[in-house]
Amino acid sequence: MNLPDFLLEMLNDQYDKKTVERIVEGYSKDRYLTLRVNTLKTTVKETELELEKNGFEYEKVKWSKEAFIIKKSNGNIRDLEIYKQGKIYLQSLSSMLPPIILNPIEEADILDMAAAPGGKTTQLAMLSNNKSHITACEMNKIRAERLKYNIDKQGATCVYIMQKDARNIDEFFSFDQILLDAPCSGSGTLNKHSFENTKYFTKKLIERSIKSQIALLKKAIKILKPGGELVYSTCSILKQENEEVVKKAIQGTKVEIVPIEFEGMEDIPLLPTSDKKIIYICPTELYEGFFIIKLKKGAKCN
Ligand code: SAM
């Protein structure tokens, strides 16, 4: 596989040789289709029956009863009624983890800061049984329309859409919980097709992403209520877009890293890290490469 030299250098700088080989191997795989059952509209049991009735074979994961891996398709899953009616949402496994780790609380004021197309927004609504108050912020107008479409289709009635650059959110607002699934280079989601026709993955893209990640995270910390929790995630596995962004953004604040723990975590292909509290997911045929960190703001600070 033809990876750009600068990417290989960055990976070799961050990971040992064996790990870089694992990552490159992961890039070369075609990933299985995965989906999340939308329990606002259906049940896990109904989904299992519908998939079986329509000749789809699936497997489950340990860490979520709503997550399905489609092992064998029988036609296009988008033709199934459960898809058309918003009873399932096609979502990568890695992308289902940040909302689970944030663990939305019923009645809480929650900000999803970079929300479109809304996989995680609708999952937050689902996990809080539509009983939290979610503000879903998205800067891009067309993507905000897609976000609205998905929110309506999934029956996520507790969501208010804010079409705005999240870096300019008024500090008059404050939130109990924030998800910042930041715009990134996508270095965790590359595959063998990524470099064939496109010059999209560049050093400049990484630099631009870092700038906006730092600005977004600094803003998130400002508008997080004292005692509140924040999850920062990206689909990049480069420390420059992740740990280093977090380090810069929390400098001089009383924000601390909270260890990530949940049932079934041992099922996830993790990459080695310098800090046991953070998660890097290795790209594989099941998972996209991803980074997740959970932060908590001290009870009396800014
Ligand atoms: N969380 C989404 C999901 O799970 O469906 C995916 C989010 S995607 C990684 C990042 C999104 O952030 C893009 O839709 C992008 O348009 C938006 N975005 C980028 N910069 C932004 C900013 N400054 N303010 C608000 N949204 C922004």
Side-chain angles (χ1 to χ4, degrees):
M1 201 177 145
N2 238 353
L3 293 184
D5 289 344
F6 77 85
L7 175 60
L8 272 176
E9 268 169 42
M10 291 174 96
L11 291 175
N12 278 311
D13 176 53
Q14 182 172 344
Y15 300 103
D16 60 76
K17 195 165 170 271
K18 269 222 150 93
T19 304
V20 175
E21 282 168 13
R22 259 177 85 201
I23 294 169
V24 176
E25 158 99 18
Y27 284 156
S28 72
K29 301 270 188 216
D30 285 323
R31 253 181 296 285
Y32 283 99
L33 182 70
T34 56
L35 64 88
R36 173 173 56 80
V37 177
N38 176 17
T39 55
L40 292 174
K41 287 199 157 183
T42 188
T43 60
V44 169
K45 190 80 213 152
E46 190 197 347
T47 308
E48 288 173 352
L49 291 174
E50 282 299 309
L51 289 173
E52 285 160 21
K53 191 177 88 188
N54 287 286
F56 284 74
E57 288 174 23
Y58 58 84
E59 274 178 17
K60 309 288 285 289
V61 299
K62 277 192 188 161
W63 46 266
S64 165
K65 54 187 186 326
E66 287 97 21
F68 282 59
I69 301 158
I70 300 299
K71 281 294 177 113
K72 204 164 156 217
S73 294
N74 180 26
N76 190 337
I77 200 158
R78 291 177 176 80
D79 292 334
L80 300 188
E81 279 308 308
I82 47 170
Y83 176 81
K84 289 183 190 162
Q85 294 171 11
K87 292 179 171 180
I88 56 170
Y89 188 88
L90 303 184
Q91 188 173 356
S92 82
L93 292 180
S94 301
S95 151
M96 296 180 207
L97 288 165
I100 291 173
I101 291 167
L102 185 64
N103 192 15
I105 302 165
E106 292 186 5
E107 299 305 325
D109 288 316
I110 302 175
L111 173 65
D112 186 353
M113 211 167 170
K120 298 184 191 67
T121 314
T122 53
Q123 189 181 357
L124 288 168
M126 177 188 97
L127 291 171
S128 62
N129 298 311
N130 257 339
K131 287 186 179 140
S132 57
H133 312 286
I134 302 175
T135 302
C137 185
E138 170 58 47
M139 173 166 84
N140 181 290
K141 187 168 182 291
I142 293 166
R143 290 179 66 86
E145 280 162 16
R146 189 72 203 167
L147 173 66
K148 179 168 181 350
Y149 171 84
N150 281 327
I151 286 169
D152 291 346
K153 184 173 174 187
Q154 303 285 307
T157 52
C158 62
V159 183
Y160 158 76
I161 297 175
M162 182 192 260
Q163 199 225 307
K164 192 180 177 68
D165 184 331
R167 291 171 292 192
N168 300 330
I169 293 178
D170 197 317
E171 284 167 30
F172 165 81
F173 292 103
S174 63
F175 298 90
D176 302 298
Q177 296 182 293
I178 298 180
L179 175 64
L180 172 52
D181 184 41
C184 72
S185 68
S187 72
T189 61
L190 301 173
N191 60 35
K192 52 186 179 236
H193 311 295
S194 301
F195 305 107
E196 279 167 11
N197 304 314
T198 171
K199 297 258 179 289
Y200 178 71
F201 187 82
T202 60
K203 253 185 167 169
K204 272 227 160 72
L205 173 68
I206 299 177
E207 283 158 14
R208 259 204 329 268
S209 300
I210 295 171
K211 260 198 181 157
S212 94
Q213 288 155 354
I214 295 174
L216 284 163
L217 187 52
K218 281 188 171 170
K219 171 62 79 164
I221 290 169
K222 280 206 175 124
I223 56 182
L224 184 64
K225 286 184 192 168
E229 289 191 334
L230 184 163
V231 166
Y232 173 86
S233 59
T234 72
C235 57
S236 173
I237 51 171
L238 298 172
K239 63 180 180 187
Q240 290 83 351
E241 295 183 75
N242 296 310
E243 295 153 82
E244 292 185 3
V245 165
V246 173
K247 209 168 151 193
K248 282 178 192 136
I250 68 175
Q251 215 169 35
T253 71
K254 294 249 171 66
V255 170
E256 283 182 358
I257 305 174
V258 180
I260 295 176
E261 284 155 347
F262 55 90
E263 235 183 274
M265 200 170 149
E266 68 280 3
D267 226 19
I268 298 170
L270 299 179
L271 291 168
T273 57
S274 52
D275 186 340
K276 288 260 173 299
K277 294 183 191 141
I278 64 181
I279 281 187
Y280 276 103
I281 302 173
C282 185
T284 65
E285 57 187 8
L286 292 180
Y287 290 81
E288 288 180 326
F290 231 79
F291 171 81
I292 310 171
I293 190 168
K294 188 169 190 175
L295 302 170
K296 187 177 173 78
K297 191 166 176 174
K300 282 185 191 155
C301 62
N302 44 53

